[in-house]
Amino acid sequence: MQTVHGIAELRAQVAAWKRAGERVALIPTMGNLHRGHLRLVERARQLASRTVASIFVNPTQFGPNEDFAGYPRTLADDGRQLGAVGLDLLFAPEVAAIYPRPLADMTQVSVPGLSQLLCGASRPIHFGGVATVVAKLFNLAQPDVAVFGEKDWQQLVIIRRMTADLDLPVEIIGVPTVREADGLAMSSRNGYLSAEERAIAPTLHAVLHAMAEQWRTGERDYGALENTAKARLAAAGFRPDYVEIRRADDLQRPEPGDAALRIFAAAWLGRARLIDNLAVI
Ligand code: PAF
């Protein structure tokens, strides 16, 4: 596996592959990799003949009081893991390469509406930062296909919308969430949990699972389902941000007869803000 830090090196390698008729897949990440990320690489290898992963802790998707400074940076270990699963190229740029000027002076991508819902309500700048950096990564790596985890379902929906709206020639593939044996969705932020919090954390998935079961058995009072779930989370020691049933494809509130629905949740546990989502039908 080759590691490059510069944009010119990335472009040169991808251009050589394209000239040779190779199909390129991109896996954008912020590093501190876990088995969920490695699953993305495995999926990308099924979809393309060459795989590129990016590791870039993107400052523009963190709010002023969020964990940008403390976000775990584990490049050497990440590189070893990516090499072991057969990645071809790791792109790990410096912040100045991606944002040569302050963001306020740079072109930005925003996906209105979708970016203000759910996580966007409490993280107002987050999805603008994600859309901007992913658009830049697509332009830099010129992938035919890009692979994202379904744990960040809202992000996946926003990236699909951005790609369609900007006519970017990139196929977007979602990969199901990888979970620990006790149901906890894998996340780099799970590392923030104390041993006591780690024992509580699977309750988030359990609560969503119970809610989905209630839905399947005929309960249709969204408000009651959501309030019960939030109360269960609070009783377990979480500070719930939201629990909401939404349409899977456009994240809007369901209408009677809508088929593909998902439950979305975010809740704080200690200093970790955990998110999860689950299909209800
Ligand atoms: O999901 C992530 O790790 C990030 O939001 C992404 C897509 C790499 C953009 O920084």
Side-chain angles (χ1 to χ4, degrees):
M1 186 193 73
Q2 190 189 350
T3 300
V4 298
H5 301 282
I7 285 174
E9 299 155 276
L10 170 69
R11 283 195 192 280
Q13 180 57 85
V14 172
W17 284 336
K18 291 278 173 104
R19 278 196 302 277
E22 307 255 26
R23 181 172 158 86
V24 175
L26 176 69
I27 309 105
T29 83
M30 298 206 301
N32 193 232
L33 303 181
H34 49 68
R35 274 192 287 124
H37 293 110
L38 302 181
R39 182 73 60 79
L40 302 183
V41 178
E42 287 159 11
R43 184 77 185 99
R45 293 188 70 211
Q46 297 169 339
L47 296 164
S49 52
R50 294 292 180 178
T51 49
V52 180
S54 58
I55 293 187
F56 179 64
V57 184
N58 173 36
T60 66
Q61 69 187 73
F62 290 80
N65 300 316
E66 294 185 350
D67 55 343
F68 172 68
Y71 198 87
R73 287 151 171 92
T74 52
L75 188 59
D77 186 51
D78 292 344
R80 274 189 290 276
Q81 295 194 62
L82 291 168
V85 292
L87 186 84
D88 293 301
L89 179 64
L90 170 58
F91 175 52
E94 297 294 335
V95 171
I98 300 295
Y99 300 114
R101 296 190 306 283
L103 191 68
D105 297 339
M106 289 192 65
T107 303
Q108 297 174 45
V109 178
S110 70
V111 181
L114 289 175
S115 298
Q116 278 80 55
L117 308 169
L118 302 175
C119 282
S122 49
R123 305 186 72 194
I125 67 160
H126 175 66
F127 290 113
V130 170
T132 300
V133 81
V134 171
K136 286 177 70 82
L137 291 168
F138 283 2
N139 282 325
L140 293 170
Q142 300 280 301
D144 300 286
V145 56
V147 181
F148 296 87
E150 290 183 353
K151 181 178 72 67
D152 298 291
W153 187 279
Q154 183 176 9
Q155 169 173 281
L156 184 58
V157 170
I158 287 171
I159 289 168
R160 284 192 203 284
R161 174 75 60 86
M162 174 196 78
T163 306
D165 287 353
L166 298 181
D167 304 304
L168 302 177
V170 184
E171 186 186 355
I172 306 299
I173 300 291
V175 174
T177 303
V178 178
R179 297 182 182 279
E180 304 285 356
D182 57 13
L184 177 64
M186 289 198 180
S187 164
S188 300
R189 290 188 168 101
N190 292 350
Y192 294 163
L193 299 169
S194 67
E196 193 189 338
E197 290 158 356
R198 176 63 188 80
I200 295 168
T203 306
L204 180 58
H205 178 244
V207 164
L208 298 195
H209 192 71
M211 204 171 155
E213 279 309 303
Q214 282 178 277
W215 180 274
R216 281 188 196 105
T217 55
E219 176 60 81
R220 289 294 180 273
D221 183 341
Y222 302 113
L225 284 167
E226 291 167 0
N227 288 338
T228 305
K230 280 190 270 191
R232 281 193 64 194
L233 288 173
F238 288 85
R239 280 179 292 125
D241 181 349
Y242 64 81
V243 180
E244 294 192 22
I245 300 176
R246 297 261 175 171
R247 292 205 294 242
D249 58 347
D250 64 3
L251 307 180
Q252 301 305 306
R253 280 290 191 185
E255 304 282 347
D258 282 342
L261 306 182
R262 285 187 97 81
I263 309 170
F264 296 89
W268 287 92
L269 190 56
R271 69 185 186 98
R273 184 175 181 280
L274 303 181
I275 61 171
D276 205 346
N277 68 87
L278 207 59
V280 280
I281 294 178

